[in-house]
Amino acid sequence: MKSLNLLHLIHGMSIIAAVFIGGLCSYLLAKRDGNILEKVEDYLFISLLSGVVGARLFYFIAYRNQFESWYEFYKIWEGGLVSYGGFVFGGITLAIILSFKKKPLDLWLDYFSIGFLLGLVIGRLGDVLSGEYMGYLIVSDFSIPITMLELIWGAVLFSLMLFFRKKVMRLQGLIFGLTVLLYVLGRFLIDFQRENLINLGFLSISQIVDLVILAFSIIFIGFVILLDRRRKNAV
């Protein structure tokens, strides 16, 4: 029981560290570029709460067979969060706040996307340490935890977005669109190896949600590119 509680503590602390360090990364990148958002800590806190609810809700839907009743949805201390569910809910909440405050939504979503990827890596590292694998990828005589694959994929995307940030930031919103597209695409493929998912045919509910998000991300990227071309033609 004590070892189980320790694993839950590691998992919970990794989530807190992921949110804090990811948010700090976004803030420092924006500050370096000369963009300051007042009361950013308040926005992050509200988005965090919304993200935790979303992460738990997505886990509850994807792994419904692990829950005996709706009451267990609230037992978040027992583990069980889906990172992109938190990303979706937290992102929507942040978008609403920024729109209400009349801030450049697309610009700040770009910054927070990069921070999200760093937070993802830290969160998945906590999953590895706490043993939340949810399946393995078998390669010859070796087995790789699914969580480790997500960690590696997140690290690759974080490095790419950070490297190309200056080149694509002129297209505000593009980093956000690419982050959603590539991350969800990776999750869609990785989920074929994941265990205990509820399936509808040959795809899981989680993968069906992935496809919907992929479609919206492609439309969003197309909209960003189209808007940039219109701006150039208007000049």
Side-chain angles (χ1 to χ4, degrees), residues 175-195:
I175 287 182
F176 171 74
L178 289 175
T179 297
V180 175
L181 175 66
L182 296 176
Y183 171 65
V184 175
L185 178 61
R187 275 197 60 99
F188 176 82
L189 297 175
I190 290 173
D191 275 356
F192 281 110
Q193 306 296 326
R194 199 181 300 273
E195 298 174 352

Side-chain angles (χ1 to χ4, degrees), residues 145-207:
I146 292 300
T147 306
M148 181 64 72
L149 289 180
E150 287 193 63
L151 189 158
I152 296 172
W153 183 232
V156 169
L157 291 183
F158 173 72
S159 301
L160 286 175
M161 296 304 167
L162 198 61
F163 182 77
F164 290 107
R165 181 176 68 90
K166 287 292 186 179
K167 296 182 179 180
V168 300
M169 280 293 279
R170 67 177 186 84
L171 289 177
Q172 294 183 5
L174 184 58
I175 287 182
F176 171 74
L178 289 175
T179 297
V180 175
L181 175 66
L182 296 176
Y183 171 65
V184 175
L185 178 61
R187 275 197 60 99
F188 176 82
L189 297 175
I190 290 173
D191 275 356
F192 281 110
Q193 306 296 326
R194 199 181 300 273
E195 298 174 352
N196 300 322
L197 290 176
I198 299 178
N199 293 320
L200 294 176
F202 65 95
L203 295 178
S204 68
I205 294 179
S206 178
Q207 288 175 307

